[in-house]
């Protein structure tokens, strides 16, 4: 009887923890911000930048960075590709 009660309670705990996991991950994921000329940038540390493709046109790029308060940001901006020869 004790073993059965233990299994029931442990399965309820596992279900409750599984329900909380997606909301915790969603809260940790920063919102993607669009860059404009009036955007104030507070970049303390660049975490990652997307690769610039080898094309001769304007392409979207992303930069992930931490600000001076330690908060993570993702910035989307436009950049000229590396494929132009002139």
């Amino acid at each position: 009887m004790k073993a059965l009660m233990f299994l029931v309670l442990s399965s309820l705990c596992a279900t409750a923890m599984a329900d909380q996991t997606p909301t915790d991950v969603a809260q940790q994921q920063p919102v993607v911000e669009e860059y404009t000329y009036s955007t104030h940038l507070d970049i303390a540390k660049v975490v990652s930048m997307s690769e610039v493709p080898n094309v001769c046109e304007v392409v979207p790029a992303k930069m992930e960075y931490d600000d001076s308060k330690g908060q993570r940001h993702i910035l989307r901006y436009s950049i000229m590709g590396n494929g132009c020869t002139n």
Side-chain angles (χ1 to χ4, degrees):
M1 185 67 172
K2 289 181 182 180
L4 180 60
M5 187 60 111
F6 176 75
L7 289 173
V8 170
L9 289 176
S10 63
S11 67
L12 288 175
C13 291
T15 305
M17 290 174 63
D19 288 342
Q20 291 178 352
T21 303
T23 56
D24 292 342
V25 172
Q27 289 175 356
Q28 293 174 357
Q29 184 71 352
V31 176
V32 177
E33 305 166 23
E34 287 289 332
Y35 174 78
T36 63
Y37 290 116
S38 63
T39 302
H40 172 69
L41 297 177
D42 177 16
I43 302 172
K45 177 184 175 187
V46 175
V47 177
S48 67
M49 293 180 70
S50 61
E51 293 289 323
V52 180
N54 196 21
V55 295
C56 188
E57 60 184 305
V58 176
V59 293
K62 285 185 183 178
M63 176 176 60
E64 189 170 344
Y65 67 93
D66 294 336
D67 64 13
S68 61
K69 297 176 184 173
Q71 294 179 338
R72 182 75 40 108
H73 298 270
I74 299 176
L75 184 69
R76 185 179 331 168
Y77 58 99
S78 297
I79 190 170
M80 191 66 183
N82 289 332
C84 300
T85 56
N86 289 337

